[in-house]
Amino acid sequence: MSVDTKVMEMTQPQKDDGNRALHYEENLLWEKKRSDHPGVDFPPVAGTKLRTGVGERGAIGLPQVSEPQALRHFVRMSTWNYSIDHGFFPLGSCTMKHNPRLNEKIARHPGFAHIHPMQPESTVQGALGLMYELQNWLAELTNLPGVCLAPAAGAHGELAGMMTIRRAHEQKGEGKKRRIVLTPDSAHGTNPATAVTCGFEVRNISTKENGMLTVEAFKEALTKTDPDGADIAGMMVTNPNTCGLFEKDIMEVTELLHKAGGYFYCDGANFNALVGKIRPGDFGVDVMHINLHKTFSTPHGGGGPGSGPICCTEELAKYMPVPTVLKGGETYKLEWEDDRPETLGRLKGYQGQFGMHVRALAYMLSHGADGLKQVSEDAVLGANYILRSLEEDYHAPFAHQGSCMHEALLTDKHQKEEGVQTLDIAKALIERGFHPMTVYFPLVLPGTMLIEPTETESKDAMDRFITVMKEIAYEAKAVDAEQYFHGFPHSSPRRRLDEVKAARNPVLRWK
Ligand SMILES: *Cc1c(COP(=O)(O)O)cnc(C)c1O
């Protein structure tokens, strides 16, 4: 079979493909042709005096559509929002796992869904008890006893955590002296952004060669402007890091940091790889955030509000934001500023995203300790299956170092020689009905692709993805990339966009 015939065959819909046909173009309701038969049969309004006596009612310009037209309009648009319930969602770093319906069912229980944060505490004892139980689970899983459930997202938790560290230094009279926060260059963008927001100066630790934090690079950064590191407030490290690797030197690094008087902020967004296996408090973490919407399966990515509780050591617990739920005898109460004067204060109104607390605890209780352990084992197994299946087809920069954690890192190095880049691969995936992986992140190497299958994907789903990725790698070699790849996607309602123009000249209003 000639190469051309093979490619022709590949471009035909195959059983591995996602949905292609029956996509509806859908205009705005206002753009629909005004019909003479409005959906609602009210008499004409013209000439009717308002009872208030001010002017006459004229047409108010609502679109005139029937109920089926209105219904179809919204249902069609709802299908444009790709979600984990549609299919495989391999976004690295985002942990797009299944949101069990059991969580939803429990969160809709009227006793949880219909309460208000301003109700007297005596009337919401069950809800406070649930939050208390969640605090205990998080404390147990992290081995960090201080828990504040309030932060509304991962990045908000980072802010809460770094403000806690700042507060601790201030209370020890070292606030002015300790100005620097160390972060590896593999850090999630929110890490340096948080440190700067808190008024710290960010110092980079280079991880280039093997994608890992080394003791040497850390020491160099620690002592750059002070031989004892007395100007260091702390470090922000994601572990496992954004290359999908567990930081092997973390114990040694933490010891050096603690000796210098700095605190270890762990970005806990990748906790899905560790949960139930190891406890971050055991590798020296002082404070970390947990993305309930990643590790503990509450919806995200447009599907629901996030929730980013923080967990910290006993030492830091008095400084973290309020409130926390306390238990005295059989009664629960929220602990506010008056109860804990050392606190940095409150970060938001009320107590956090309670609906997400319900879902997260439902997830924990339905898995149990052994189930949570299996979550991380299966997540890591899935990522390694993808890494090993694709390492011959794509450049896998760190594959020689051993297994990855819960996400696999590839780059476009081999395909670039043929004129095909990460963006083209992502668009080719869309053409094949797959949501792309995370692209051009982490920034440690050019053209990165970060793939996180999560534990909830079956081997069958992963095999389909692997097959399509192999076909794309084959096509990149076999066809004229300029003509073929740069046109993807062909079948989606929107074709290849001018992303630079869209970013520089966003048109945000419909005219
Ligand atoms: C998702 C993520 C964050 C931020 O969490 P949000 O809930 O999106 O604010 C921070 N760090 C890492 C490594 C992440 O993956």
Side-chain angles (χ1 to χ4, degrees), residues 176 195 245 421 449:
K176 291 230 163 57
L245 306 171
Q421 305 198 13
M449 294 179 268

Side-chain angles (χ1 to χ4, degrees), residues 131-426:
M131 289 170 66
Y132 185 80
E133 177 93 8
L134 178 62
Q135 286 174 190
N136 287 346
W137 272 80
L138 290 174
E140 180 70 28
L141 289 167
T142 58
N143 194 20
L144 293 165
V147 182
C148 174
L149 299 177
H156 202 206
E158 285 180 47
L159 183 66
M162 289 310 287
M163 285 173 76
T164 303
I165 289 176
R166 188 177 66 185
R167 180 86 176 159
H169 286 310
E170 281 167 3
Q171 294 281 306
K172 289 199 269 181
E174 300 201 335
K176 291 230 163 57
K177 191 172 87 181
R178 297 192 176 267
R179 303 299 330 145
I180 295 165
V181 168
L182 308 173
T183 56
D185 50 16
S186 61
H188 194 260
T190 48
N191 296 178
T194 300
V196 169
T197 305
C198 288
F200 293 116
E201 187 189 313
V202 174
R203 182 177 297 161
N204 211 42
I205 314 170
S206 170
T207 61
K208 285 238 160 38
E209 294 88 48
N210 58 359
M212 305 264 266
L213 184 61
T214 60
V215 177
E216 295 72 54
F218 177 77
K219 260 191 198 153
E220 199 186 311
L222 182 76
T223 56
K224 199 170 164 197
T225 43
D226 184 303
D228 300 321
D231 52 356
I232 303 296
M235 69 173 179
M236 295 185 82
V237 172
T238 310
N239 193 23
N241 65 28
T242 56
C243 299
L245 306 171
F246 187 84
E247 296 289 4
K248 294 201 175 76
D249 287 353
I250 199 67
M251 298 288 275
E252 243 178 304
V253 163
T254 310
E255 209 178 305
L256 289 170
L257 177 77
H258 283 159
K259 258 195 203 133
Y263 291 106
F264 176 6
Y265 182 86
C266 181
D267 178 328
N270 290 343
F271 196 39
N272 207 44
L274 310 182
V275 65
K277 295 292 283 186
I278 58 171
R279 304 180 303 173
D282 294 343
F283 58 78
V285 172
D286 293 295
V287 50
M288 73 185 284
H289 79 263
I290 309 280
N291 297 62
L292 295 187
H293 48 290
K294 291 177 182 172
T295 312
F296 298 107
S297 85
T298 70
H300 71 141
S307 183
I310 58 167
C311 304
C312 59
T313 55
E314 206 171 342
E315 182 204 344
L316 291 182
K318 51 183 174 293
Y319 305 124
M320 68 179 183
V322 286
T324 306
V325 181
L326 301 178
K327 187 178 182 188
E330 285 309 302
T331 315
Y332 300 96
K333 73 179 282 268
L334 288 167
E335 181 191 41
W336 294 106
E337 290 94 327
D338 290 345
D339 311 298
R340 175 154 52 85
E342 304 96 327
T343 176
L344 62 88
R346 48 178 105 179
L347 278 185
K348 73 193 290 292
Y350 309 121
Q351 71 296 308
Q353 308 282 19
F354 177 70
M356 298 303 132
H357 303 161
V358 180
R359 288 169 175 85
L361 187 65
Y363 181 79
M364 290 169 175
L365 291 174
S366 57
H367 279 71
D370 54 334
L372 290 179
K373 185 165 161 230
Q374 182 155 5
V375 161
S376 54
E377 286 172 357
D378 289 351
V380 170
L381 183 64
N384 278 283
Y385 181 59
I386 287 182
L387 180 67
R388 293 306 162 202
S389 303
L390 291 176
E391 65 183 337
E392 316 250 282
D393 305 276
Y394 293 87
H395 173 231
F398 306 123
H400 63 280
Q401 286 169 218
S403 28
C404 61
M405 296 298 286
H406 62 309
E407 46 197 0
L409 187 71
L410 304 174
T411 89
D412 59 0
K413 194 171 171 196
H414 302 332
Q415 287 71 34
K416 232 185 203 157
E417 292 155 16
E418 315 291 338
V420 174
Q421 305 198 13
T422 289
L423 185 68
D424 302 313
I425 296 165

